[in-house]
Structure formats: structure tokens, C-alpha cells
Amino acid sequence: MAGEPILIVDDTPVNLKLTRILLVNEGYRVQTAASAEEALELLRTYHPMLVLADIQLPGMDGLEMTRRIKSDERTRDIAVVALTAFAMKGDEQRALAAGCDGYITKPIDTRTLGGRIRGYLASRGAGSRDAAPRFGEQPDDEELRELRRRFLEEGGERSRQILLDLDGVFDAPTAARAVHQWIGSAGLLGYAAISRKSREVESLLLERPVDSAQLRESLTGLVLAFSNPHDAFDHQIPGQVLDTLTGKVFGLVGLPSGEADRLCTALEIAHARPVFYELDSRPDRAALEMCDLAAVYVRPETMDSGWLNPETLRSGLPVVLVGGHHHLAALDLDVQMMADGLLMGSWQPEEALVRLFLALSHSAGGGFHFSEIVGHGGPIEVLIADDDSDVRETLRLALASEGMQCLEAADGLAALSLARDRSPIAAVLDVEMPGLNGYDVVQALRLDRSPLGILLLTGERQQGEVLRGFDSGADDYLIKPFSSLELATRVKRTALAGSRRTAAISRPPR
């Protein structure tokens, strides 16, 4: 039935406001509370069918609030759904143990939130029919512009201060609370890059001991994301991607609950089906034949999993490796290079779908080892092309630290000239450059039958459009702002692609 009452509990005003608008527009009757204490007081006189609550609330947290709701005879029938960024291992188990009926990860996917809430209500015997949408409370353009302006201004100032505090008195828990709020707020406001970097920073802040060097790098990326935000927009997933993934079966191997939930959200968008396997299970023929692709989680204690065995990776089943930057970079290079794709660090459902699509479309079926590239004729020579000198310097320093030699170009014409004159093994091309853009350069090089590996450097909003580059012959892409570890890993894989093509060209015909 339409008009079910729902209570939203979140201490971030932006999250409260926009989540309320989303659910009101789905036809629900919504109340809000900014703390667990306020919510419990409200529940004395208000009986919603569902409570949507952030876990990390100040004072009493969302889990203690859930325990109290479930232990009270008057309120125990209320469904409680946790909102969480899943930065801490075991959050799902703690939420269910506290009595939560489900969980939704931040940033909230605005397109699927209403449907997921209907699913939770239906499982409780309510909301069996679609809610009737109402459109009377959508924020006007001026209101959204003001929310976004304040978010960017306040977040930019606070993130810079957190970065400066690293050199003085640093309070990691306080910083983590601030960053946690940005995961949800940025996602709701349409700043996916800020949300992604915030999730990455929060994960590092909650590690013990804190990795100061990696934290500094990720915080710098977050500051840059606040300073140079892409315009907020609704992601459009290309029809080509959705058509390819629809109906496919994806094996999710060893993914932690938060990662699995996010990936299931992505697969739901594409009408694809997940099946689940443990990392310590041995992949048999039946498992390999059931799936169209396996997404395998990588962490230190499971590096010897049968799913990461070269024999499995050569089985013909496309494999995408999922995990943090450090863990994937630490994986044996030969194993890493045999995978058909990487889903690194923090990512959004749209990126996951594009990566899965590319893995299915360009399955490597590897036969080369990365070591075959290194040590033949000196260091790996990589062309980097971007009209932003700061980005070029960041690229150069990151690749030089991996022993690579960089050629630099500030526009597409210069990049094309250098590629033709010097024949580097790989190129990193920004998609937006004056003169020839990155797509034009890719197309020109492939018309030249150039074998070099090509990595496209793109903004969040160009994630769908980047498929143009793959149609022209690009090998991979990287989203700004990026981690130096992800950059180095992807450039090495791109260099491998260039090496394969070079070897194929030079191999004498039979």
C-alpha cells in the first residue's frame, strides 16, 4: 500500500533532507531525527513501519538504538534498516546481531532506494504494491545549488585542515567521523568522486596502525576532489553495458559483506544474477561452468586461494580481482596480469558495471609474464599527456618511483607526435585535451597500427563515454582523482598489452 510511515535517523543535515525527499517522492510519509536519542523519544508517540538509521551516530549509535527498539514490546515490530559505509569489518554481522532487518550501503543509490525499501516492507507484510509517487517536495534548483555550494566549501576547508593536522596533533577518530558523513552526502548530491575518496580515507583512518604515507596520499586526493568537483549529475550507464550484462551470472568469491552488497546493487541495475563462493573453496568444473565471470576478492590471508591459482585464471572464465590498492598491488605480478580486470579501492556501482563489461568483452586469456617486459632495452618508457601540468607532474613522480621513464605532452597533437617518434610501450592520455582529445589520439594511433598500450585518464562523468576509447582500441582507464598505486598497477598491465601486440607483430608468420 502507498503512504507507509518511515523514520530516517541521520546526524548529517544534507543526508536527512535529500533522503527524505527521495522517499517522499516514492509516496512514503516520512519523519526525521538527527540522533538516536531524538528518534527514541519520537517513537513514544510515532509508530513507523520502518526506521532507516545511520549506524555511526553521535552519542548513542544506531546499533544501540536498534537494540532498544527491538527490546520494547511497543516497537519491536518496526523494521530497522541500517545505513552504513561498511568501513569496518564485521559491520553487517553487528547490525544483524543488534536486530537490524537489513542494511544499505552509502552512498545511497538514488535510483534503487525506493525499490529496496519496498522490498524490506514487503518482507514484513507491508508495502506489497508499489508506492504512488508524489512530486510536490522535490528541491528546486536554487536549493540544490546552495546545498552543493555549502557542502563543497565546508568539506574543502575541513579536508585541508585534516591534511594539515597530519603534521601536528592528529585525532584519527574525529577525522573519521567527518569523512564518514561525506560518503553519504557526496553520493546524494551527485559528487561520486568525493564519495569514493571519502570511503577510501575512512578505511585508512580506521586501520590500526594508521598508514601515514597512504593516508596522506588519499587525503590529498580527497582535497583535490573537493577543490575540482565534477558537476553533479545522474550517472547514465551505456545501453551497450546493460545489454551485455543482462541475464549473466557472476560468481562473487570471498567478498566481504559491504563489497558484496555494493556489487549486488550494481548487478541489480543490470538485471544480472550473483552466486556466492568462499575463497577457501576449490573452484570445480561445475562452478566454472555456471558463471559467466568471477569477481574474486584479494586480501593477504587468502593469496593462496584456488581462485587465484594460475590454472583457474587460464580456465577460460573471465576473472576480475577486487580489493584495496595495497592488496592488489602486492599480488604476484604474473597472477595479477592474468586477470581480465581490476576493481580497486573504493568504487561506485557504475564503475563496477563498466569493469565487468570490459572484462567480458576483452577477456585476456593471458600467456605473457610481466617480467618479459622488464629488462629488455632499459626502463619502460611511458608517454603521459595532460594539459594540466600538476597532473603531469603527479603522473611522472608516481611512475618514476616504479622505475618507468616518462615522456610528457601538454596536448593531443604533441602526444601523437611523441608516440610516433619515440614508440613508447604505453601511454596515459587525458580524454579532455586541447586540439586532439584523448579519444582522437587513440583512434589515430590505432589507424597507424601502433601496438602501444593505452590507458585513458578520465573524470567520473566520462565513465560511460570512455567506452568510445575502447571501441577505438584503448586498453584501460583510470578515474581522477587516483591513487599512485592504482596508477602504477594499471600502467604495468597496459604496458603488458603493448608488449603482447609488439610481440605479435614481430612474430614471424608460420
Side-chain angles (χ1 to χ4, degrees):
M1 64 182 172
E4 297 92 338
I6 291 177
L7 173 63
I8 305 169
V9 189
D10 199 310
D11 64 312
T12 308
V14 169
N15 293 359
L16 268 184
K17 185 178 185 68
L18 293 183
T19 306
R20 179 181 183 278
I21 290 169
L22 287 172
L23 293 182
V24 165
N25 288 337
E26 290 283 340
Y28 298 109
R29 293 182 286 116
V30 180
Q31 294 280 355
T32 62
S35 68
E37 293 84 356
E38 181 184 346
L40 292 174
E41 182 64 30
L42 186 59
L43 290 176
R44 292 177 182 274
T45 56
Y46 173 63
H47 196 91
M49 288 187 176
L50 182 141
V51 173
L52 187 63
D54 187 16
I55 283 182
Q56 294 181 319
L57 295 169
M60 183 190 302
D61 66 21
L63 299 186
E64 177 58 29
M65 180 193 72
T66 301
R67 293 185 192 98
R68 298 193 184 192
I69 290 173
K70 294 299 184 178
S71 64
D72 189 326
E73 288 185 2
R74 298 171 302 169
T75 56
R76 65 177 49 167
D77 64 315
I78 298 172
V80 180
V81 177
L83 282 174
T84 175
F86 280 98
M88 297 178 66
K89 184 178 180 181
D91 268 358
E92 177 196 1
Q93 289 75 17
R94 281 189 286 272
L96 296 178
C100 292
D101 299 279
Y103 57 91
I104 294 175
T105 53
K106 294 180 178 181
I108 294 171
D109 188 327
T110 57
R111 294 160 303 183
T112 63
L113 177 63
R116 299 190 72 183
I117 293 297
R118 283 195 294 277
Y120 287 123
L121 287 171
S123 69
R124 308 281 293 186
S128 58
R129 290 186 288 133
D130 287 348
R134 290 188 290 178
F135 301 99
E137 296 200 36
Q138 295 187 47
D140 58 35
D141 290 342
E142 185 59 37
E143 187 177 18
L144 276 177
R145 276 196 295 270
E146 178 59 20
L147 283 171
R148 287 169 177 151
R149 184 194 65 77
R150 288 176 53 196
F151 172 73
L152 293 175
E153 183 178 284
E154 294 170 5
E157 182 178 345
R158 182 75 177 98
S159 62
R160 285 190 293 273
Q161 187 59 54
I162 293 173
L163 183 58
L164 290 173
D165 287 346
L166 280 179
D167 297 318
V169 178
F170 184 68
D171 185 344
T174 299
R177 284 193 292 273
V179 174
H180 174 81
Q181 292 184 341
W182 297 333
I183 296 172
S185 300
L188 284 168
L189 289 170
Y191 297 115
I194 295 176
S195 181
R196 182 164 51 87
K197 294 303 293 186
S198 296
R199 184 191 296 275
E200 182 180 301
V201 170
E202 186 191 25
S203 297
L204 292 169
L205 285 167
L206 293 172
E207 287 183 0
R208 294 295 180 270
V210 174
D211 184 335
S212 298
Q214 180 61 26
L215 178 58
R216 186 181 299 276
E217 178 185 324
S218 294
L219 273 170
T220 301
L222 179 57
V223 171
L224 290 173
F226 270 112
S227 301
N228 300 284
H230 302 304
D231 291 339
F233 71 107
D234 291 328
H235 289 284
Q236 296 296 320
I237 300 170
Q240 181 184 3
V241 171
L242 295 177
D243 290 345
T244 298
L245 300 184
T246 296
K248 295 292 193 299
V249 177
F250 293 90
L252 308 189
V253 185
L255 269 70
S257 56
E259 301 289 291
D261 187 64
R262 282 199 291 152
L263 199 47
C264 286
T265 297
L267 296 179
E268 182 181 330
I269 295 169
H271 303 291
R273 182 166 67 89
V275 292
F276 301 90
Y277 301 96
E278 297 296 328
L279 263 171
D280 56 5
S281 66
R282 188 76 182 174
D284 55 22
R285 181 178 297 276
L288 297 176
E289 290 179 352
M290 175 184 293
C291 302
D292 296 288
L293 179 146
V296 181
Y297 195 74
V298 176
R299 55 179 180 266
E301 60 270 27
T302 56
M303 293 294 193
D304 59 351
S305 166
W307 289 90
L308 298 175
N309 187 290
E311 182 180 338
T312 303
L313 294 170
R314 291 194 189 99
S315 68
L317 176 70
V319 173
V320 171
L321 302 180
V322 184
H325 299 129
H326 278 86
H327 296 161
L328 286 173
L331 188 64
D332 180 87
L333 277 174
D334 288 337
V335 174
Q336 186 190 115
M337 299 302 169
M338 293 174 68
D340 299 284
L342 304 177
L343 197 54
M344 302 184 76
S346 298
W347 42 268
Q348 299 301 315
E350 290 79 10
E351 182 183 2
L353 293 180
V354 172
R355 293 287 181 196
L356 296 176
F357 164 79
L358 292 172
L360 285 173
S361 303
H362 306 285
S363 182
F368 278 76
H369 294 288
F370 183 70
S371 58
E372 296 177 35
I373 305 174
V374 183
H376 292 59
I380 298 173
E381 194 168 61
V382 179
L383 167 64
I384 54 178
D386 196 298
D387 59 321
D388 187 324
S389 59
D390 291 336
V391 173
R392 290 201 307 276
E393 180 64 7
T394 300
L395 292 167
R396 186 189 67 77
L397 290 173
L399 297 180
S401 68
E402 295 288 331
M404 302 184 201
Q405 181 175 308
C406 296
L407 310 171
E408 296 186 42
D411 58 62
L413 283 172
L416 185 58
S417 178
L418 272 174
R420 287 168 170 167
D421 293 344
R422 296 290 294 271
S423 299
I425 197 167
V428 182
L429 307 174
D430 185 30
V431 298
E432 290 188 329
M433 291 187 290
L436 294 178
N437 63 32
Y439 305 122
D440 296 331
V441 176
V442 175
Q443 188 171 22
L445 289 171
R446 294 308 185 224
L447 287 173
D448 289 348
R449 298 187 181 278
S450 170
L452 91 165
I454 300 176
L455 174 76
L456 294 175
L457 197 59
T458 178
E460 195 87 28
R461 60 180 174 168
Q462 293 138 348
Q463 214 170 170
E465 192 179 355
V466 80
L467 295 180
R468 285 175 48 199
F470 284 89
D471 289 339
S472 299
D475 298 287
D476 203 350
Y477 74 99
L478 184 63
I479 300 173
K480 301 177 187 176
F482 50 81
S483 157
S484 61
L485 274 174
E486 181 170 9
L487 170 69
T489 302
R490 293 198 181 280
V491 169
K492 289 175 184 176
R493 286 171 55 86
T494 301
L496 175 64
S499 179
R500 285 176 172 160
R501 279 191 288 267
T502 299
I505 291 171
S506 59
R507 188 181 302 128
R510 293 181 179 179

